[in-house]
Amino acid sequence: MSHKSLNAGLAGINAGETSISTVGKEGVGLRYRGYAIEDLAQHASFEEVCFLLLYKTLPDKGKLCEFRERLREKRYLPTDIKTILQHLPANSHPMDVLRTGVSVLGCLEPETYNNNQNEISERLLAILPSILFYWYHYHRSGKEVITDVKDNSLAGYFLQLLHNEPADINHKAILNKSLILYAEHEFNASTFAARVTASTLSDFNSAVCAAIGTLRGPLHGGANEATMELLEKFQTPDEAEKGIKDALEKKQVIMGFGHRVYKKNDPRSPIMKQCAQTLSMTTGDSHYMPVAENIEKVMWDKKKLFPNLDFYSAVAYHLMNIQVALFTPVFVCSRLSGWAAHIIEQRKNNKLIRPNAYYIGPDPKNYIPIEDR
Ligand code: ACO
């Protein structure tokens, strides 16, 4: 076996230890600190899951209430962040806006001995929607967002800032599930980027910036946006079937399918599919679900590939009237909880992450002075 097939993309390599989540030895399930994702999605709130990831245990009612209040209080935006957000181009990608916002916050509220990493994690969890929607509304209507919102759930806060009205209760419940499903996934690329940055003893916000930049790509979190662009191409399920078959013949990658660690199915996907089905019924959609389901069928028949979490998330977000460019930012608002837990874990037992490389460059050469070349 050549060195390339051994570890291309670090596939199959255990790059460290974690007690935060596992996809199981067989790679068929997903558990956060021992709890099955199916149970959490069905019964828990996103805030409960954040607490679990950050503080290693499920909160009781009192602790959850305090945690939610702390998050609500930490939503405010410093004036200097607002000024910088005003100066970002209106056509920036919202992922770049979030990355910049986190970076600016790292200047305004730098990590010190006084603000411990749990406080920074909570501040970031709370402020991300404020950053996103301050920029979003300022450049669309010139109006400032009101961050002092009563709703103390992240799903409700996000939807209220987006639509400028209290969140629809059903949409809030579905977004809550989606945030839980996106919250954590062991050594995925963005989390690994955060851990690499943390392993150099860099600051918390730098690690989060690295993670946001890594999540943005369409092979990772950006796949939910790319999926929507794919779905928009087809008017009917038959058109979708033909289009996907043609694309596969041309060896194109179909966004929202396949996964590095799951080989048979993504356990999060059926939960999100059910949410998309519910929304399809309640909104009277007769287009997106049939197109999506036909693509799923063709991908299974032709390639034995299954939809990953991003595929039906795209359908669900669209049916909740969330703009495509905000799909991956939703992922950020959720995954911040997992990144934070990993940064804290990495720091607790730190070892610089610095692998070797197989050298494939030229043999040794003698240097030729510039005047002799
Ligand atoms: N469409 C078409 N073919 C695919 C797809 C796909 N979405 N995914 C995998 N394959 C094929 C590859 O072409 C390859 O075929 P080959 O062996 O004939 O060359 C084989 O399946 C293995 O795929 P790799 O790309 O080598 O698998 P890898 O583990 O490196 O990649 C990845 C995983 C990046 C997720 C890949 O499946 C992909 O590109 N999917 C589309 C992007 C996507 O949806 N990303 C979201 C990931 S989930 C998340 O971030 C929540």
Side-chain angles (χ1 to χ4, degrees):
M1 206 183 275
S2 83
H3 68 262
K4 278 191 187 165
S5 51
L6 269 176
N7 8 13
L10 298 181
I13 303 278
N14 283 329
E17 295 178 330
T18 185
S19 61
I20 303 169
S21 73
T22 179
V23 295
K25 284 214 171 75
E26 310 296 321
V28 291
L30 175 61
R31 285 175 183 270
Y32 298 167
R33 298 209 186 269
Y35 296 99
I37 190 71
E38 292 79 6
D39 287 340
L40 293 171
Q42 194 179 346
H43 303 294
S45 65
F46 174 64
E47 289 70 30
E48 256 178 281
V49 169
C50 290
F51 192 99
L52 173 68
L53 294 172
L54 288 175
Y55 300 107
K56 303 184 182 176
T57 164
L58 285 171
D60 60 20
K61 276 189 185 163
K63 286 212 172 91
L64 180 61
C65 196
E66 284 165 22
F67 180 62
R68 283 195 159 131
E69 261 326 284
R70 286 204 301 277
L71 291 183
R72 211 171 72 81
E73 284 163 9
K74 289 185 166 91
R75 288 171 176 169
Y76 65 91
L77 283 168
T79 309
D80 287 342
I81 284 207
K82 292 185 185 175
T83 309
I84 286 167
L85 293 173
Q86 287 170 12
H87 284 88
L88 294 182
N91 63 355
S92 302
H93 193 286
M95 288 294 281
D96 297 337
V97 173
L98 281 178
R99 196 194 56 231
T100 306
V102 171
S103 186
V104 174
L105 195 70
C107 301
L108 301 175
E109 299 173 12
E111 189 169 13
T112 64
Y113 290 116
N114 300 330
N115 57 357
N116 70 42
Q117 34 189 7
N118 291 334
E119 254 183 61
I120 299 176
S121 309
E122 291 183 6
R123 175 72 165 132
L124 284 168
L125 266 173
I127 202 175
L128 285 174
S130 314
I131 292 173
L132 180 66
F133 287 110
Y134 183 89
W135 166 83
Y136 182 84
H137 289 299
Y138 180 85
H139 290 284
R140 270 162 192 77
S141 64
K143 287 192 188 137
E144 288 208 10
V145 288
I146 311 292
T147 55
D148 187 15
V149 165
K150 267 207 191 120
D151 196 319
N152 62 9
S153 70
L154 192 131
Y157 184 50
F158 189 98
L159 289 172
Q160 177 152 356
L161 292 193
L162 171 62
H163 298 309
N164 284 322
E165 58 186 23
D168 173 287
I169 191 154
N170 297 319
H171 288 191
K172 189 167 130 178
I174 285 175
L175 189 59
N176 178 69
K177 264 194 214 310
S178 167
L179 292 170
I180 291 173
L181 297 175
Y182 267 135
E184 162 57 13
H185 213 224
E186 45 121 286
F187 278 17
N188 63 89
S190 57
T191 299
F192 195 61
R195 287 190 79 127
V196 170
T197 309
S199 84
T200 70
L201 304 185
S202 185
D203 67 294
F204 207 96
N205 286 40
S206 292
V208 173
C209 285
I212 295 175
T214 308
L215 187 73
R216 190 188 193 295
L219 293 191
H220 192 6
N224 56 15
E225 294 180 30
T227 294
M228 199 61 222
E229 282 151 23
L230 177 79
L231 293 173
E232 296 282 12
K233 283 187 192 161
F234 308 117
Q235 297 303 318
T236 64
D238 287 348
E239 244 186 56
E241 180 172 342
K242 186 179 175 316
I244 296 299
K245 283 181 178 164
D246 288 349
L248 288 177
E249 291 225 331
K250 291 181 199 145
K251 303 257 173 255
Q252 287 173 6
V253 173
I254 309 301
M255 293 303 168
F257 284 86
H259 201 276
R260 172 60 66 78
V261 295
Y262 298 124
K263 295 304 165 206
K264 290 187 182 138
N265 79 320
D266 178 337
R268 302 163 298 177
S269 178
I271 305 172
M272 211 53 224
K273 182 175 179 180
Q274 207 174 37
C275 293
Q277 271 163 337
T278 306
L279 284 162
S280 180
M281 280 191 303
T282 52
T283 58
D285 157 66
S286 56
H287 174 65
Y288 289 98
M289 262 325 264
V291 165
E293 285 183 309
N294 227 21
I295 295 178
E296 180 182 356
K297 184 174 177 311
V298 177
M299 287 300 285
W300 186 253
D301 291 347
K302 291 278 159 198
K303 297 279 290 183
K304 292 288 168 281
L305 280 172
F306 50 87
N308 57 48
L309 175 58
D310 284 328
F311 190 69
Y312 283 106
S313 297
V315 180
Y317 291 175
H318 178 73
L319 295 176
M320 284 194 285
N321 225 353
I322 299 175
Q323 284 74 0
V324 180
L326 300 176
F327 287 8
T328 321
V330 178
F331 197 158
V332 174
C333 293
S334 159
R335 186 58 62 87
L336 191 276
S337 56
W339 293 334
H342 278 272
I343 294 166
I344 294 168
E345 186 180 62
Q346 178 66 36
R347 286 170 160 190
K348 192 129 203 198
N349 188 15
N350 190 53
K351 174 88 179 161
L352 176 73
I353 300 174
R354 199 292 190 197
N356 295 337
Y358 287 102
Y359 179 68
I360 54 163
D363 289 336
K365 295 178 182 180
N366 289 331
Y367 177 76
I368 304 161
I370 196 157
E371 55 276 12
D372 298 340
R373 269 178 240 156

